[in-house]
Amino acid sequence: MRVLVLSDIHANLEALTAVLEASQGSFDTVWNLGDSVGYGGSPNQVIERIRPLASLNVRGNHDRVCCGLSSPAGFNPVAREAALWTQTALTPENLAWLRAVPQGPLHPIAPTDTEPGVTCAHGSPIDEDHYILTMRDAWVPLQQLRTAVTFFGHTHLQGGFSQREHNWHELHPNLPRSGPVAWTLPLNPGTRHLINPGSVGQPRDNDWRAAFALFDTDLRTITFRRIPYDLTASQGRILMAGLPERLAERLRDGR
Ligand code: ZN
């Protein structure tokens, strides 16, 4: 099975469209690690695009706040304003769908004697609101997980962490700014991985291009990719919605 792994789309329809076009024909299903909405100007369009494609959705912290399941009190003023706007912009049907998206971690492939298994979470598999930014953050999840691969998002940083006995590695795809941009990681037996496909709709690793990953369960590989998208149109939707200008600016900066 070939899985398109997406996270942190954040209501950026242009970025999602570019990712789906670039990976057309190279995936059998989609796993969505959450924060489908919040920040961006196209929450309904993004949900309507992702709903029929994704066989797995995990809720993100923005999803939770944007559908009213928790208070935006912990958000900064810009995120709060975007969450409250999203809540009023969503159709009743999309709001109901978002409320029903399950909390992670989820296990789309259970570990068995022959299958190393996969976990999916939005933040840390231990706490959906925790950020895995450093090896220190990754250490406890890597010790506790029974699956060989765990996909997570939330940080908007493409890459991850791997461990094989006493060997630890941070994974930084560092994809070139032009030309074909893909980096393939072979999943070696006995190594455990925490993998962040990066953010489709609001990358924060100083690269504005949409980030995503393709997981081939038969070849046992994960390919990290970046793709340019119609940034101007996406910024226009944020401004036309009356959302803070900062949200349009940060897309250009990849921050
Ligand atoms: Zn996010």
Side-chain angles (χ1 to χ4, degrees), residues 8 10 34-35 37 39 61-62 122 154-156 199 202 204:
D8 298 280
H10 281 293
D35 277 4
V37 299
Y39 294 135
N61 54 319
H62 284 260
H122 178 67
H154 196 38
T155 63
H156 300 209
S199 168
Q202 197 199 73
R204 295 181 191 161

Side-chain angles (χ1 to χ4, degrees), residues 44-57:
N44 286 305
Q45 297 92 326
V46 161
I47 288 179
E48 282 151 22
R49 199 81 203 270
I50 204 74
R51 272 175 76 168
L53 290 174
S55 58
L56 174 144
N57 294 282

Side-chain angles (χ1 to χ4, degrees), residues 69-90:
L69 283 177
S70 61
S71 146
F75 278 5
N76 66 53
V78 168
R80 192 182 313 145
E81 186 178 338
L84 294 174
W85 174 83
T86 304
Q87 201 172 348
T88 58
L90 283 171

Side-chain angles (χ1 to χ4, degrees), residues 109-159:
I109 302 177
T112 64
D113 290 344
T114 53
E115 165 57 57
V118 179
T119 299
C120 288
H122 178 67
S124 165
I126 293 165
D127 182 326
E128 64 178 339
D129 288 322
H130 278 187
Y131 290 89
I132 301 178
L133 289 161
T134 64
M135 191 62 90
R136 192 185 298 273
D137 305 322
W139 194 82
V140 172
L142 280 170
Q143 298 309 300
Q144 294 188 357
L145 289 163
R146 290 179 54 239
T147 55
V149 178
T150 296
F151 290 105
F152 70 101
H154 196 38
T155 63
H156 300 209
L157 303 173
Q158 191 177 48

